[in-house]
Amino acid sequence: MIKQSEAIDACHKALLDKYDRNVPRYTSYPTATHFDSGVNEQIYHSWISNLNKGDSVSLYFHIPFCQQLCWFCGCSTKIVKRYNPVQSYVELLEKEKKLITELLPSSLDVRHIHFGGGSPNILRCEDFSRILKLSNEKFTLHKQAEIAVEVDPRTISSQMIVTLAKEGVTRVSLGVQDVNLKVQKAINRIQPYEKIQQVVDSFRLNGIEKINFDLIYGLPYQSCESIIHTIDLVSKLRPDRISLFGYAHVPWMRRHQLLINETNLPDIYSRFQLYQSAVDRLKHQGYVQIGMDHFALPDDEMLKAKNEKTLKRNFQGYTTDPAQVLLGFGASSIGYTQEGYVQNTSALKDYELALNQNRLPVSRGIQLSSDDLIRREVIETLMCYLEVNLEMVLAEYNLDPEFFSGELIELKTMEKAGLVRIKNLHITIPAENRVFVRSVCSLFDSFLKTNKAQHSLPV
Ligand SMILES: C[S@@+](CC[C@H](N)C(=O)[O-])C[C@H]1O[C@@H](n2cnc3c(N)ncnc32)[C@H](O)[C@@H]1O
Ligand code: SF4
């Protein structure tokens, strides 16, 4: 591991030493590691049947294919050299759409549609249009609906850009990661800056104005100088939003990450410095930080949502999506209803088998208990706003005043360490410690106490 701990301040060094324990990213609570086969096709069926005419829903389509493997990749994807497997998958996705649509009430109000992956731009234009086509009887697109697509800028064709615009896509999210060639070589992802610039220009020319970039810190060979250079260059393109993900090195889950030479990865102190340098530079470039890892230009609707306290956290990170129901389609996709979370099988052959037998390809999930709902509210509030008033949560759920007494003991230790502030039962994570938000959330995670599931580094 590369060590760069000299310049780190004593307080943060002590916090890193004390809280150097892998924690989840809390894109849901309970997290996906705790889903199990207790949620099956029948249960999901009954959850969907509880939906009512006119309810708000969002849709997620997972396209698990890419042309080339990035060695850092933690997504659920498969490398394909031909279109045949993608074509077969589109047929299955259509079948799944039909099976689910038949179970739905009419006139659902669609708020967000998200295409994730993998690289959805691998689809042929006509297949993208086909997937996006929804039953008019069952779905009504809300007039402010967001249709967002994750895009690999290296492989998107100009024809696909035109199709996305024509189909009403409102937002694209481009994988940028890092512009430094040495870093790019070490992660098997060569992507010239000029290519990103050309793709961004083309989206804008075609009328897609809302653009996100994904950046990653914690990659091999990154230095504070190199990450600042990446940020200076990419912020010239003025994407509305930038996500700054910490590299999750989880080779026990993604074996191909072993292709990355671990000796070239930064240690936890260097990761902290990389994060800090990136945050400072993004602010210098006019971006405002949201939650743990999102940044937006000052007039962005996500900042408005943060100020109006309507910001949410879901599998895409932070979101303005107001729908309480997400219908997931495709292998490995996760959805949710008021009752709980549900995930499709990730194995393509099982996905195919289920649909060929006219079964929903559900493999696992979790039904939410009242304890889960309380803890989810605390964790989501902390993740979005870096503060939570436990007194309000106790009142809202009519809980015994002692409900959080165990957590409060641990929070007091965190307060002594300078990580959080506690006033009455109001917990605040000061801005300079926001990178530790997941560690604070983990105190409220009752599954972590019983399960030793491994997640990713705390910063
Ligand atoms: C589905 S990809 C985005 C679209 C497209 N496939 C691409 O890479 O350009 C989702 C994003 O997840 C992030 N990501 C993937 N693996 C990661 C990992 N191991 N740690 C942190 N972020 C990761 C990357 O920033 C990537 O852009
Ligand atoms: S990072 Fe994106 S392009 Fe690279 S393998 Fe993962 S999903 Fe595919």
Side-chain angles (χ1 to χ4, degrees):
M1 296 272 175
I2 296 175
K3 293 196 188 299
Q4 290 182 2
S5 57
E6 306 81 45
I8 213 156
D9 68 276
C11 178
H12 280 120
K13 185 168 181 311
L15 288 177
L16 289 166
D17 290 339
K18 196 167 168 64
Y19 297 104
D20 184 3
R21 171 191 180 212
N22 286 7
V23 277
R25 288 191 63 234
Y26 291 116
T27 49
S28 69
Y29 179 81
T31 60
T33 356
H34 303 290
F35 294 178
D36 63 37
S37 56
V39 173
N40 55 24
E41 191 192 352
Q42 285 70 34
I43 293 193
Y44 185 40
H45 193 137
S46 69
W47 291 356
I48 295 183
S49 311
N50 289 339
L51 292 178
N52 294 310
K53 184 177 175 187
D55 278 357
S56 290
V57 297
S58 289
L59 312 178
Y60 175 78
F61 294 101
H62 192 74
I63 312 296
F65 300 102
C66 295
Q67 290 181 16
Q68 198 190 0
L69 181 66
C70 308
W71 292 342
F72 64 86
C73 183
C75 305
S76 182
T77 192
K78 188 176 178 212
I79 306 309
V80 285
K81 296 289 173 205
R82 294 170 310 123
Y83 195 69
N84 277 5
V86 185
Q87 184 71 65
S88 311
Y89 182 80
V90 172
E91 302 303 329
L92 296 169
L93 204 51
E94 283 300 296
K95 197 159 184 182
E96 186 187 6
K97 236 171 77 185
K98 185 162 176 287
L99 285 179
I100 293 196
T101 304
E102 280 167 4
L103 302 173
L104 296 170
S106 60
S107 310
L108 291 170
D109 176 32
V110 179
R111 303 303 297 250
H112 276 216
I113 302 180
H114 192 100
F115 282 76
S119 301
N121 58 285
I122 202 168
L123 292 166
R124 288 198 177 133
C125 297
E126 61 270 25
D127 285 333
F128 177 80
S129 304
R130 198 173 154 204
I131 298 169
L132 191 56
K133 195 163 171 38
L134 303 169
S135 143
N136 286 335
E137 186 217 335
K138 300 293 175 95
F139 299 104
T140 310
L141 201 60
H142 192 276
K143 61 178 184 315
Q144 282 161 353
E146 174 162 298
I147 306 179
V149 181
E150 293 176 13
V151 163
D152 179 347
R154 297 168 303 166
T155 56
I156 189 159
S157 64
S158 41
Q159 205 189 357
M160 188 59 161
I161 294 178
V162 172
T163 299
L164 297 186
K166 191 176 88 212
E167 291 293 349
V169 167
T170 54
R171 180 178 294 282
V172 286
S173 186
L174 310 188
V176 172
Q177 329 306 353
D178 189 293
V179 298
N180 184 297
L181 187 59
K182 192 172 177 186
V183 176
Q184 292 186 352
K185 281 185 179 160
I187 57 173
N188 197 38
R189 184 178 173 122
I190 308 295
Q191 176 169 313
Y193 170 74
E194 292 68 27
K195 180 75 204 165
I196 305 163
Q197 187 174 29
Q198 179 210 324
V199 169
V200 168
D201 288 348
S202 182
F203 273 122
R204 289 190 172 136
L205 267 175
N206 282 281
I208 300 183
E209 302 276 348
K210 295 179 177 175
I211 296 180
N212 297 17
F213 282 177
D214 293 338
L215 299 180
I216 304 187
Y217 71 90
L219 293 172
Y221 299 120
Q222 279 178 329
S223 64
C224 293
E225 294 70 34
S226 79
I227 209 160
I228 287 171
H229 174 67
T230 291
I231 286 165
D232 284 349
L233 216 50
V234 303
S235 28
K236 280 193 193 165
L237 300 173
R238 301 319 275 166
D240 311 68
R241 296 180 190 164
I242 296 179
S243 303
L244 175 69
F245 299 124
Y247 169 44
H249 188 64
V250 287
W252 55 90
M253 285 164 68
R254 301 280 182 238
R255 274 193 66 76
H256 61 254
Q257 289 184 343
L258 290 171
L259 292 164
I260 290 184
N261 186 344
E262 286 186 0
T263 56
N264 297 327
L265 288 173
D267 67 5
I268 191 152
Y269 307 113
S270 306
R271 276 175 73 97
F272 177 76
Q273 287 176 304
L274 288 169
Y275 170 83
Q276 214 53 62
S277 306
V279 170
D280 290 347
R281 203 59 179 185
L282 282 162
K283 288 182 181 163
H284 174 83
Q285 291 292 359
Y287 286 88
V288 183
Q289 190 166 10
I290 299 172
M292 177 181 75
D293 52 14
H294 279 38
F295 296 81
L297 289 175
D299 57 355
D300 191 274
E301 63 202 92
M302 194 175 265
L303 272 168
K304 199 166 152 245
K306 182 187 158 214
N307 295 335
E308 291 172 357
K309 300 269 188 232
T310 54
L311 187 67
K312 303 271 238 357
R313 185 139 173 95
N314 74 3
F315 295 98
Q316 271 75 57
Y318 293 97
T319 178
T320 55
D321 182 1
Q324 306 230 22
V325 174
L326 177 72
L327 302 173
F329 300 87
S332 81
S333 68
I334 301 182
Y336 46 80
T337 68
Q338 310 265 29
E339 288 85 357
Y341 295 97
V342 58
Q343 182 168 30
N344 276 348
T345 175
S346 304
L348 286 171
K349 64 174 184 350
D350 294 338
Y351 180 73
E352 181 179 359
L353 185 70
L355 287 161
N356 282 340
Q357 296 173 347
N358 288 320
R359 287 188 290 113
L360 292 179
V362 170
S363 71
R364 55 193 209 127
I366 194 161
Q367 186 140 13
L368 292 167
S369 68
S370 47
D371 187 72
D372 295 338
L373 289 171
I374 298 161
R375 293 175 184 281
R376 179 167 77 165
E377 177 159 336
V378 173
I379 288 175
E380 191 176 14
T381 308
L382 276 168
M383 289 299 290
C384 291
Y385 307 106
L386 302 148
E387 60 178 326
V388 65
N389 188 342
L390 295 178
E391 198 137 20
M392 277 168 64
V393 180
L394 291 174
E396 184 186 343
Y397 291 90
N398 202 11
L399 299 171
D400 185 298
E402 296 301 304
F403 186 85
F404 292 119
S405 56
E407 287 80 3
L408 278 163
I409 294 173
E410 295 183 62
L411 282 165
K412 292 253 161 62
T413 312
M414 283 190 165
E415 186 185 33
K416 268 201 198 124
L419 176 44
V420 297
R421 292 192 196 120
I422 309 176
K423 194 163 179 215
N424 301 323
L425 289 182
H426 194 129
I427 317 301
T428 310
I429 303 169
E432 66 276 15
N433 291 341
R434 68 164 87 204
V435 73
F436 294 100
V437 60
R438 295 181 301 133
S439 299
V440 180
C441 290
S442 72
L443 295 187
F444 294 91
D445 181 341
S446 62
F447 291 84
L448 268 192
K449 292 176 186 136
T450 53
N451 187 308
K452 297 267 175 282
Q454 284 182 301
H455 296 278
S456 55
L457 287 171
V459 297

